[in-house]
């Protein structure tokens, strides 16, 4: 719960700090501008609210690791991915998009803080505990924070604690650790295909390199 709050609040702060003119810059998500990414974050916040308000009374079917599927559609191929830029453009002004994310995002943060970590909730036809669900969003929020600042210099990055937690989560999902020489940020970017490894990094990865990128769905 603490890591979720740290990751989510850092992301909300970063979005608020992005200058309006930078909303037209490319983000780290292939094919999306910063404004498109922030629009996606509005949907993420809505997803958190919906899931926390969807109690389940059956045993969990997934946890924070098995929730993720490694055969997800590459960025840009999901139908919702194509819709996002049109939704983002409809806001017209960055200020309106910032306001909407701050409004819904702060509500999602409050709802998470009030939730019982042991309670069970349903999402994507699966059941998991609130604690596991919010752990999923530590990885989600940290990756999208990196996407947000991919080409920005005036906006702060994710906290060290959430970078480390997100790396550990990705390693559990992959079933393989990244080389100790990799920074947490490098492991996340290379592991998910957001950055191409250098020759030295590819050598350090060994046979693990053949399984990359890990497309999380």
């Amino acid at each position: 719960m603490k890591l979720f709050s740290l990751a989510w609040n850092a992301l909300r702060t970063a979005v608020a700090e992005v200058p309006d003119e930078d909303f037209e810059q490319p983000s780290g998500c292939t094919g999306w501008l910063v404004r498109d990414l922030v629009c996606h974050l509005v949907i993420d916040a809505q997803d958190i609210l919906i899931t926390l308000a969807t109690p389940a009374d059956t045993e969990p079917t997934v946890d924070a690791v098995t929730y993720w599927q490694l055969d997800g559609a590459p960025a840009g191929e999901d139908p919702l991915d194509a819709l996002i830029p049109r939704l983002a453009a409809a806001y017209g002004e960055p200020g309106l998009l910032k306001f909407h994310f701050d409004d819904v995002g702060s509500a999602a943060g409050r709802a998470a803080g009030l939730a019982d970590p042991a309670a069970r909730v349903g999402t994507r036809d699966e059941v998991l505990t609130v604690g596991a669900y919010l752990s999923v969003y530590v990885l989600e929020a940290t990756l999208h924070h990196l996407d947000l600042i991919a080409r920005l210099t005036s906006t702060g990055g994710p906290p060290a604690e959430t970078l480390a937690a997100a790396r550990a989560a990705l390693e559990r999902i992959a079933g393989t650790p990244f080389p100790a020489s990799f920074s947490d940020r490098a492991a996340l970017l290379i592991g998910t295909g957001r950055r191409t490894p250098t020759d030295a990094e590819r050598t350090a990865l060994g046979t693990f390199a053949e399984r990359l990128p890990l497309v999380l769905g």
Side-chain angles (χ1 to χ4, degrees), residues 142-143 146 159-168 170-171 178-191 195:
T142 302
L143 285 174
L146 292 173
E161 298 95 323
T162 62
L163 282 168
R167 176 196 184 141
L170 190 61
E171 290 177 335
F178 289 92
S181 59
F182 281 30
S183 69
D184 295 334
R185 179 171 179 166
L188 291 167
L189 294 176
I190 293 170
R195 177 165 80 73

Side-chain angles (χ1 to χ4, degrees), residues 72-161:
E77 293 188 9
D78 187 292
L80 183 58
D81 288 349
L83 175 63
I84 290 295
R86 296 199 295 273
L87 289 175
Y91 279 87
E93 299 177 10
L96 295 176
L97 190 49
K98 282 185 183 181
F99 174 80
H100 195 187
F101 177 59
D102 181 66
D103 193 32
V104 183
S106 60
R110 289 193 300 272
L114 293 170
D116 176 4
R120 299 166 189 170
V121 291
T123 183
R124 303 202 315 184
D125 296 322
E126 303 283 4
V127 175
L128 69 172
T129 66
V130 166
Y133 177 70
L134 295 180
S135 292
V136 164
Y137 261 93
V138 172
L139 177 55
E140 174 88 357
T142 302
L143 285 174
H144 282 328
H145 196 149
L146 292 173
D147 291 331
L148 181 75
I149 65 170
R151 291 174 176 80
L152 307 184
T153 58
S154 61
T155 305
E161 298 95 323

Side-chain angles (χ1 to χ4, degrees), residues 14-39:
V15 170
E17 291 176 349
V18 175
D20 286 0
E21 58 271 21
D22 283 344
F23 268 59
E24 299 301 317
Q25 292 289 332
S27 76
C29 289
T30 303
W32 280 0
L33 302 176
V34 167
R35 72 178 188 187
D36 305 327
L37 174 61
V38 175
C39 185

